[in-house]
Amino acid sequence: MTRINTHTNILNHLKKVISLSESEEQEFTSILEEIKVSKKNFIIKPGDLVNSEYYVVSGCLEAYYLDESGDKHIIQFAVEDWWISDFEAFFNKLPAKLYVETIEDSILLGINRDALEVLYSRIPQFERFFRIKTTSAFVSLRTRILSTLQKSGKERYLEFCEAYPKIEQRVPNYHIANYLGLKPESLSRIRKEVI
Amino acid sequence: MTRINTHTNILNHLKKVISLSESEEQEFTSILEEIKVSKKNFIIKPGDLVNSEYYVVSGCLEAYYLDESGDKHIIQFAVEDWWISDFEAFFNKLPAKLYVETIEDSILLGINRDALEVLYSRIPQFERFFRIKTTSAFVSLRTRILSTLQKSGKERYLEFCEAYPKIEQRVPNYHIANYLGLKPESLSRIRKEVI
């Protein structure tokens, strides 16, 4: 039963951008690997070889870097309909530097890099899909960098709530503070101000 | 004469990733707009509508944000064979937030967004080309963010020299310091250490 639902989600996700025939949809779903992970477990750890990127069917995850002092730096959150991985490791075939960890029980669909390459050559529409998705991710990352330069903590928090409403309600306060580069007490103060 | 050379460069740039027929090459080059700009001039200023992205045939440019205090934050450099624009403004059809300025006399090839959309639909190979280019830009940006978290100024400078050897020799010291998030005097000290 779950299998049908998970595929429905990702197919609807694709259909927002590209049109596929039924056989192309089947070819795509045949390469997906369904993974169920309970909360507070790792999908990726530093040093891992990363052969897949992951579409989130349900749940919530974070990708972060632990520096030498043990300080955590959250690079990305992901909820339903998002993609997550250590993308640097995935695309450049390098050992992972990030942790990717579940914040909630999660169901993911993994796509293997080699299977994806075959898919690109067989169904060029996927080139379009991932071009548009990657462009969007690239632009979001640039926007985030600019926001840290130009906007106040309050503005950045409001921007975050607008961009990621599903995340704001599900992720502990100190995780969001970390992502936004704020102290937890500053974020608490901001949250009281904007309610 | 210049026209032939500029097209040769960008076609070789494409051929590293995709294969095109002669008529496809002609269709592509027909949408390129050649722009010659002397040094210290602006391609883009904040508030501009950004309808093109630019391939660098020759020269050197930088994209930067000026904050409210007038402090400059360099987001990107570009030399031969690189692409530059205010990508957030270009892809999301928003007014520019960045300056894009020439550091040297430059020759650019502009691609208009609408013409590019037509090109995608007519020659799907370009979906592949820009998917791979954008993925690479996205991963580089993530790598840069991680480097600021995990690496010393010296390590970041050496990484910069390795990644952008052409830029390191052509851009003033204080521009590189700005890009790396270092004080100019720290960069001078690092440079003396590594010679």
Side-chain angles (χ1 to χ4, degrees), chain B residues 54-120:
Chain B
Y54 302 93
Y55 169 84
V56 184
V57 179
S58 65
C60 181
L61 301 94
E62 58 183 357
Y64 60 89
Y65 174 70
L66 268 194
D67 69 21
E68 285 178 10
S69 320
D71 287 331
K72 181 172 169 176
H73 304 271
I74 299 175
I75 306 290
Q76 188 200 339
F77 294 111
V79 287
E80 289 78 14
D81 243 17
W82 286 52
W83 295 82
I84 196 162
S85 189
D86 181 332
F87 291 110
E88 187 187 359
F90 176 69
F91 289 117
N92 291 343
K93 300 185 185 178
L94 294 169
K97 289 180 179 168
L98 303 181
Y99 291 90
V100 177
E101 186 180 355
T102 50
I103 295 175
E104 301 173 357
D105 294 350
S106 301
I107 300 174
L108 311 174
L109 295 172
I111 298 192
N112 175 277
R113 185 178 40 235
D114 296 338
L116 190 57
E117 281 301 326
V118 173
L119 194 72
Y120 285 140

Side-chain angles (χ1 to χ4, degrees), chain A residues 63 65 67-68 73 75-76 85-89 91-92 97-98 117 120-121 124 126-132 134-139 141-147 149-151 159, chain B residues 63 65 67-68 73 75-76 85-89 91-92 97-98 117 120-121 124 126-132 134-139 141-147 149-151 159:
Chain A
Y65 173 70
D67 68 21
E68 284 178 10
H73 304 271
I75 306 291
Q76 188 201 340
S85 188
D86 180 332
F87 291 110
E88 187 187 359
F91 289 116
N92 291 342
K97 287 179 181 170
L98 302 181
E117 282 301 327
Y120 286 140
S121 62
F126 281 95
E127 300 275 14
R128 178 171 179 80
F129 177 79
F130 282 100
R131 174 183 64 77
I132 289 171
T134 307
T135 299
S136 171
F138 171 71
V139 167
L141 201 53
R142 275 225 177 175
T143 304
R144 185 178 164 201
I145 291 170
L146 270 185
S147 292
L149 294 174
Q150 74 182 119
K151 293 185 176 164
E159 195 176 67
Chain B
Y65 174 70
D67 69 21
E68 285 178 10
H73 304 271
I75 306 290
Q76 188 200 339
S85 189
D86 181 332
F87 291 110
E88 187 187 359
F91 289 117
N92 291 343
K97 289 180 179 168
L98 303 181
E117 281 301 326
Y120 285 140
S121 62
F126 281 94
E127 300 276 14
R128 179 172 178 79
F129 178 79
F130 282 101
R131 174 184 62 76
I132 290 171
T134 307
T135 299
S136 169
F138 171 70
V139 167
L141 201 54
R142 275 226 176 174
T143 305
R144 185 179 163 198
I145 292 170
L146 270 185
S147 291
L149 294 173
Q150 76 184 117
K151 292 184 177 164
E159 195 175 66

Side-chain angles (χ1 to χ4, degrees), chain B residues 11-59:
Chain B
L11 289 173
N12 286 336
H13 174 71
L14 290 175
K15 282 174 194 163
K16 289 176 193 162
V17 181
I18 55 172
S19 301
L20 296 172
S21 70
E22 206 165 313
S23 69
E24 287 170 335
E25 287 185 1
Q26 280 169 6
E27 188 167 340
F28 172 66
T29 55
S30 74
I31 68 166
L32 301 175
E33 185 195 4
E34 189 176 318
I35 302 157
K36 293 186 184 186
V37 199
S38 53
K39 71 176 175 181
K40 298 201 176 176
N41 275 289
F42 295 100
I43 312 297
I44 296 170
K45 282 184 180 179
D48 285 356
L49 287 178
V50 179
N51 296 316
S52 294
E53 56 184 341
Y54 302 93
Y55 169 84
V56 184
V57 179
S58 65

